[in-house]
Amino acid sequence: GAGVSQSPSNKVTEKGKDVELRCDPISGHTALYWYRQRLGQGLEFLIYFQGNSAPDKSGLPSDRFSAERTGESVSTLTIQRTQQEDSAVYLCASSFQGANSPLHFGNGTRLTVT
Amino acid sequence: AQSVAQPEDQVNVAEGNPLTVKCTYSVSGNPYLFWYVQYPNRGLQFLLKYITGDNLVKGSYGFEAEFNKSQTSFHLKKPSALVSDSALYFCAVHNNAGNMLTFGGGTRLMVKP
């Protein structure tokens, strides 16, 4: 079946502009995660959704970052007034509920802020 | 707070030799441990997990990992490395009550012919 789909795959934007990143999880997956991966570095947790509620927003780096999810479907990550340090690959993952369920990752959105 | 350490940024091994990629963790409660692999220009893929039971778990592509509770480690192993195993490997931990899967910094595995 279809995997996790993220769009766009690449985004180049000017500093100060807003961007919206989209994630379509695997159908039936109630849990959805956003991570950030800077070049050559590990994964930085941003936010977790269970259904359309976000019980853990602890990883969002600033109030410029926000995310929402519609039901148990599409999620969008919005970055307002982008800065150069926001440049990274933004990864979305989904899974069935439960800590023992493996995450299924999308291919990510590569964001470049010029 | 839970954490994962991968002490080696890079591991080099010759094709055909055994490989080990190290991982140690810190978590309250019983850990759920995972290994993921990231091939160049591709997303992360699940390799294997430890939830409970046998300390040696087997996963995809011939990889296995050994859970050691006393050493809080979950090292990834393969008896005979392939050039195609060259990739970035991530260890991750989840406690059985939390929401967040915490990843280590990653280890780049380079397998030379």
Side-chain angles (χ1 to χ4, degrees):
Chain A
V4 177
S5 177
Q6 291 187 247
S7 61
S9 55
N10 279 285
K11 176 72 176 178
V12 180
T13 190
E14 293 180 352
K15 178 181 173 181
K17 294 284 180 67
D18 297 351
V19 296
E20 190 173 276
L21 312 181
R22 177 186 170 108
C23 172
D24 282 271
I26 292 172
S27 178
H29 281 186
T30 57
L32 186 146
Y33 300 78
W34 284 97
Y35 286 87
R36 178 167 70 178
Q37 186 178 24
R38 290 200 168 100
L39 186 64
Q41 298 188 21
L43 276 71
E44 177 186 359
F45 170 78
L46 297 179
I47 189 169
Y48 158 78
F49 286 93
Q50 182 56 44
N52 63 1
S53 67
D56 193 341
K57 302 179 182 179
S58 62
L60 293 177
S62 76
D63 59 7
R64 297 186 294 106
F65 287 72
S66 63
E68 61 180 26
R69 188 181 184 193
T70 306
E72 294 184 353
S73 184
V74 172
S75 176
T76 55
L77 176 69
T78 302
I79 309 173
Q80 296 178 306
R81 305 181 303 282
T82 53
Q83 304 293 313
Q84 287 186 332
E85 67 258 26
D86 298 335
S87 297
V89 175
Y90 289 82
L91 293 167
C92 176
S94 69
S95 75
F96 292 112
Q97 185 176 354
N100 61 351
S101 298
L103 271 59
H104 297 258
F105 282 85
N107 287 333
T109 294
R110 183 177 299 278
L111 175 66
T112 303
V113 182
T114 60
Chain B
Q2 56 196 47
S3 64
V4 179
Q6 293 182 243
E8 303 151 316
D9 290 337
Q10 181 160 317
V11 169
N12 298 311
V13 62
E15 187 174 33
N17 283 0
L19 69 88
T20 299
V21 182
K22 295 179 180 177
C23 170
T24 58
Y25 66 90
S26 173
V27 70
S28 59
N30 294 322
Y32 293 168
L33 295 156
F34 301 81
W35 277 100
Y36 289 82
V37 59
Q38 187 175 35
Y39 295 104
N41 301 315
R42 294 177 62 179
L44 276 82
Q45 297 176 34
F46 167 73
L47 263 185
L48 52 79
K49 68 178 180 181
Y50 170 82
I51 303 301
T52 187
D54 198 353
N55 289 345
L56 185 65
V57 294
K58 295 185 183 297
S60 306
Y61 312 121
F63 283 91
E64 57 190 28
E66 186 168 11
F67 170 63
N68 187 316
K69 187 173 183 179
S70 63
Q71 296 185 3
T72 61
S73 67
F74 190 56
H75 302 330
L76 182 70
K77 301 182 180 184
K78 187 173 182 180
S80 179
L82 299 173
V83 173
S84 58
D85 293 330
S86 299
L88 192 55
Y89 290 80
F90 290 94
C91 182
V93 68
H94 205 314
N95 72 12
N96 57 9
N99 299 321
M100 186 172 68
L101 187 63
T102 301
F103 284 82
T107 298
R108 186 167 301 280
L109 174 66
M110 298 289 291
V111 182
K112 302 286 178 61

